[in-house]
Amino acid sequence: MNEITLTIDGRSVKGTKGQTILEVALWNGIDIPYLCYHPRISKTGACRVCLVRINGTMLKASCVEPITEGMNVVTEDEDIINIRKFVLELLLSDGDHNCLYCDANGDCEFQKLVQRYNIPEAKPDRQRTIKEVDYVSSNALKRNENRCILCGRCVKACKEIQVSNIWSFAERGSYTHLVADDGKQIGDSNCLKCGQCAQMCPTGALTFQPVYGKGPNWELTKESSICIYCGVGCKIDFYTNKQGQLVKAMGNVDGPNKDHLCVKGRFGFDFVQSPKRLTKPLIKKDGEFVEASWDEALDLVAKKLSAIKTEHGPDAIGTLCSAKCTNEENYLLQKFTRGVIGTNNTDHCARL
């Protein structure tokens, strides 16, 4: 039998062989804090925030410690709380974590733990702070090394999910820091702009460029939808600000993409509020396009299509769907083409 029974905080729970304490705890709704762990990447065991007590004595990192039969786990006691506070204080003093001017304010995992354990303000150790700030080289991502806690999530996301190997660690000890390629800025590196590193970053070290200045995180409204571009059907969480502007797209963990997005799914939404976007039908009169009402435009299209179908047959007509329309709109157009016009001449711009 691969089923294992253990006790977490006095509660009997079950897991399977090979699972870690943290995985079983999260599956059973038991809260253990963590920073370097993420279910989409391999285990790291670096931050030590997830320490738990096993069988009354041993302190182990729950994100890498496998469960065993009869194991007794305590997720929080006075000693564990003090250790977590000490770790968080060290991380705070290791960089510039002023939440007031950080893009991740209100949506930062590190910030939530600092508030949860009531960590006092820590003065940054300026000798350790790298001060590598890159806000302009990329039109997709922003980077502030001073907010990095070296959790390694971005490195593993880039290597194991996107398989691009852009991010890596350089130097050792207190001089350890992240580099893109061989030390390039993001915009000069081989970054594909998938944004997975920024989505998985637990601080404000890596953030999205398009959302900058568009509103704080707590004012953004989230709605889930399906990506319009290809046929994979990636699920996306779209964020809009108070002005109704679409400012950010995040991969949804429940979709077939498991929160991963390509560059088009992540950043290809700017056309929605583009000033070049047509909002009214145009009809050519005397060689010039002029605005028309929807009734006038639709009557003209129906008249022209009917005339072509009568004179040349339905196969003389073809339609082209667009990736900048919703899936529902594209479905209706191909249904109209086949069911009303009577031809299979319908295609999608993604094939061009």
Side-chain angles (χ1 to χ4, degrees), residues 118-131:
N118 195 27
I119 308 301
E121 181 182 359
K123 186 178 180 180
D125 178 1
R126 292 300 175 182
Q127 292 181 335
R128 167 63 182 85
T129 303
I130 302 298
K131 297 184 180 179

PDB file of all heavy atoms in Angstrom, residues 118-131:
ATOM      1  N   ASN A 118       4.052  39.920  12.111  1.00  0.00           N
ATOM      2  CA  ASN A 118       4.272  41.225  12.734  1.00  0.00           C
ATOM      3  C   ASN A 118       5.759  41.545  12.846  1.00  0.00           C
ATOM      4  O   ASN A 118       6.273  41.872  13.927  1.00  0.00           O
ATOM      5  CB  ASN A 118       3.607  41.253  14.123  1.00  0.00           C
ATOM      6  CG  ASN A 118       3.481  42.661  14.674  1.00  0.00           C
ATOM      7  OD1 ASN A 118       3.407  43.634  13.912  1.00  0.00           O
ATOM      8  ND2 ASN A 118       3.475  42.790  15.996  1.00  0.00           N
ATOM      9  N   ILE A 119       6.453  41.462  11.717  1.00  0.00           N
ATOM     10  CA  ILE A 119       7.884  41.729  11.688  1.00  0.00           C
ATOM     11  C   ILE A 119       8.119  43.236  11.672  1.00  0.00           C
ATOM     12  O   ILE A 119       7.544  43.945  10.832  1.00  0.00           O
ATOM     13  CB  ILE A 119       8.545  41.083  10.453  1.00  0.00           C
ATOM     14  CG1 ILE A 119       8.174  39.602  10.368  1.00  0.00           C
ATOM     15  CG2 ILE A 119      10.056  41.269  10.501  1.00  0.00           C
ATOM     16  CD1 ILE A 119       8.587  38.792  11.572  1.00  0.00           C
ATOM     17  N   PRO A 120       8.946  43.752  12.583  1.00  0.00           N
ATOM     18  CA  PRO A 120       9.209  45.201  12.585  1.00  0.00           C
ATOM     19  C   PRO A 120      10.040  45.621  11.376  1.00  0.00           C
ATOM     20  O   PRO A 120      10.681  44.790  10.722  1.00  0.00           O
ATOM     21  CB  PRO A 120       9.999  45.411  13.882  1.00  0.00           C
ATOM     22  CG  PRO A 120      10.649  44.084  14.144  1.00  0.00           C
ATOM     23  CD  PRO A 120       9.675  43.050  13.652  1.00  0.00           C
ATOM     24  N   GLU A 121      10.030  46.901  11.082  1.00  0.00           N
ATOM     25  CA  GLU A 121      10.802  47.409   9.957  1.00  0.00           C
ATOM     26  C   GLU A 121      12.284  47.144  10.177  1.00  0.00           C
ATOM     27  O   GLU A 121      12.820  47.348  11.265  1.00  0.00           O
ATOM     28  CB  GLU A 121      10.561  48.906   9.803  1.00  0.00           C
ATOM     29  CG  GLU A 121      11.304  49.531   8.631  1.00  0.00           C
ATOM     30  CD  GLU A 121      11.069  51.028   8.537  1.00  0.00           C
ATOM     31  OE1 GLU A 121      10.321  51.553   9.377  1.00  0.00           O
ATOM     32  OE2 GLU A 121      11.621  51.659   7.621  1.00  0.00           O
ATOM     33  N   ALA A 122      12.931  46.644   9.118  1.00  0.00           N
ATOM     34  CA  ALA A 122      14.352  46.325   9.209  1.00  0.00           C
ATOM     35  C   ALA A 122      15.132  47.243   8.279  1.00  0.00           C
ATOM     36  O   ALA A 122      14.747  47.447   7.128  1.00  0.00           O
ATOM     37  CB  ALA A 122      14.605  44.864   8.837  1.00  0.00           C
ATOM     38  N   LYS A 123      16.239  47.786   8.768  1.00  0.00           N
ATOM     39  CA  LYS A 123      17.070  48.649   7.950  1.00  0.00           C
ATOM     40  C   LYS A 123      17.908  47.813   6.999  1.00  0.00           C
ATOM     41  O   LYS A 123      18.615  46.894   7.432  1.00  0.00           O
ATOM     42  CB  LYS A 123      17.986  49.500   8.839  1.00  0.00           C
ATOM     43  CG  LYS A 123      18.793  50.525   8.064  1.00  0.00           C
ATOM     44  CD  LYS A 123      19.646  51.372   9.008  1.00  0.00           C
ATOM     45  CE  LYS A 123      20.444  52.397   8.219  1.00  0.00           C
ATOM     46  NZ  LYS A 123      21.287  53.238   9.118  1.00  0.00           N
ATOM     47  N   PRO A 124      17.830  48.080   5.697  1.00  0.00           N
ATOM     48  CA  PRO A 124      18.578  47.270   4.743  1.00  0.00           C
ATOM     49  C   PRO A 124      20.079  47.366   4.956  1.00  0.00           C
ATOM     50  O   PRO A 124      20.606  48.410   5.340  1.00  0.00           O
ATOM     51  CB  PRO A 124      18.185  47.868   3.381  1.00  0.00           C
ATOM     52  CG  PRO A 124      16.930  48.634   3.640  1.00  0.00           C
ATOM     53  CD  PRO A 124      17.022  49.113   5.046  1.00  0.00           C
ATOM     54  N   ASP A 125      20.763  46.248   4.738  1.00  0.00           N
ATOM     55  CA  ASP A 125      22.214  46.205   4.770  1.00  0.00           C
ATOM     56  C   ASP A 125      22.706  46.623   3.390  1.00  0.00           C
ATOM     57  O   ASP A 125      22.699  45.845   2.451  1.00  0.00           O
ATOM     58  CB  ASP A 125      22.689  44.791   5.106  1.00  0.00           C
ATOM     59  CG  ASP A 125      24.207  44.683   5.101  1.00  0.00           C
ATOM     60  OD1 ASP A 125      24.875  45.707   4.861  1.00  0.00           O
ATOM     61  OD2 ASP A 125      24.712  43.575   5.331  1.00  0.00           O
ATOM     62  N   ARG A 126      23.130  47.866   3.246  1.00  0.00           N
ATOM     63  CA  ARG A 126      23.463  48.417   1.934  1.00  0.00           C
ATOM     64  C   ARG A 126      24.673  47.727   1.296  1.00  0.00           C
ATOM     65  O   ARG A 126      24.861  47.801   0.096  1.00  0.00           O
ATOM     66  CB  ARG A 126      23.721  49.923   2.044  1.00  0.00           C
ATOM     67  CG  ARG A 126      22.464  50.713   2.387  1.00  0.00           C
ATOM     68  CD  ARG A 126      21.393  50.536   1.324  1.00  0.00           C
ATOM     69  NE  ARG A 126      20.155  51.198   1.712  1.00  0.00           N
ATOM     70  CZ  ARG A 126      19.053  51.175   0.988  1.00  0.00           C
ATOM     71  NH1 ARG A 126      19.021  50.491  -0.138  1.00  0.00           N
ATOM     72  NH2 ARG A 126      17.972  51.794   1.379  1.00  0.00           N
ATOM     73  N   GLN A 127      25.517  47.073   2.117  1.00  0.00           N
ATOM     74  CA  GLN A 127      26.646  46.349   1.529  1.00  0.00           C
ATOM     75  C   GLN A 127      26.180  45.105   0.792  1.00  0.00           C
ATOM     76  O   GLN A 127      26.813  44.649  -0.139  1.00  0.00           O
ATOM     77  CB  GLN A 127      27.651  45.968   2.621  1.00  0.00           C
ATOM     78  CG  GLN A 127      28.375  47.170   3.227  1.00  0.00           C
ATOM     79  CD  GLN A 127      29.382  46.750   4.277  1.00  0.00           C
ATOM     80  OE1 GLN A 127      29.265  45.693   4.881  1.00  0.00           O
ATOM     81  NE2 GLN A 127      30.375  47.597   4.499  1.00  0.00           N
ATOM     82  N   ARG A 128      25.061  44.541   1.220  1.00  0.00           N
ATOM     83  CA  ARG A 128      24.532  43.339   0.576  1.00  0.00           C
ATOM     84  C   ARG A 128      23.647  43.688  -0.614  1.00  0.00           C
ATOM     85  O   ARG A 128      23.600  42.969  -1.603  1.00  0.00           O
ATOM     86  CB  ARG A 128      23.733  42.514   1.588  1.00  0.00           C
ATOM     87  CG  ARG A 128      22.864  41.411   0.992  1.00  0.00           C
ATOM     88  CD  ARG A 128      23.689  40.350   0.279  1.00  0.00           C
ATOM     89  NE  ARG A 128      22.838  39.342  -0.322  1.00  0.00           N
ATOM     90  CZ  ARG A 128      22.276  39.448  -1.514  1.00  0.00           C
ATOM     91  NH1 ARG A 128      22.465  40.538  -2.228  1.00  0.00           N
ATOM     92  NH2 ARG A 128      21.530  38.486  -1.999  1.00  0.00           N
ATOM     93  N   THR A 129      22.944  44.830  -0.560  1.00  0.00           N
ATOM     94  CA  THR A 129      21.996  45.192  -1.603  1.00  0.00           C
ATOM     95  C   THR A 129      22.695  45.337  -2.950  1.00  0.00           C
ATOM     96  O   THR A 129      23.667  46.076  -3.087  1.00  0.00           O
ATOM     97  CB  THR A 129      21.283  46.508  -1.249  1.00  0.00           C
ATOM     98  OG1 THR A 129      20.653  46.351   0.022  1.00  0.00           O
ATOM     99  CG2 THR A 129      20.232  46.843  -2.287  1.00  0.00           C
ATOM    100  N   ILE A 130      22.177  44.642  -3.944  1.00  0.00           N
ATOM    101  CA  ILE A 130      22.811  44.616  -5.262  1.00  0.00           C
ATOM    102  C   ILE A 130      22.487  45.871  -6.062  1.00  0.00           C
ATOM    103  O   ILE A 130      23.301  46.394  -6.802  1.00  0.00           O
ATOM    104  CB  ILE A 130      22.360  43.359  -6.050  1.00  0.00           C
ATOM    105  CG1 ILE A 130      22.716  42.102  -5.240  1.00  0.00           C
ATOM    106  CG2 ILE A 130      23.019  43.312  -7.420  1.00  0.00           C
ATOM    107  CD1 ILE A 130      24.186  41.906  -5.001  1.00  0.00           C
ATOM    108  N   LYS A 131      21.261  46.371  -5.902  1.00  0.00           N
ATOM    109  CA  LYS A 131      20.809  47.583  -6.591  1.00  0.00           C
ATOM    110  C   LYS A 131      20.749  47.426  -8.113  1.00  0.00           C
ATOM    111  O   LYS A 131      20.925  48.387  -8.837  1.00  0.00           O
ATOM    112  CB  LYS A 131      21.698  48.781  -6.238  1.00  0.00           C
ATOM    113  CG  LYS A 131      21.671  49.154  -4.758  1.00  0.00           C
ATOM    114  CD  LYS A 131      22.493  50.393  -4.504  1.00  0.00           C
ATOM    115  CE  LYS A 131      22.459  50.757  -3.036  1.00  0.00           C
ATOM    116  NZ  LYS A 131      23.269  51.952  -2.735  1.00  0.00           N
TER     117      LYS A 131
END
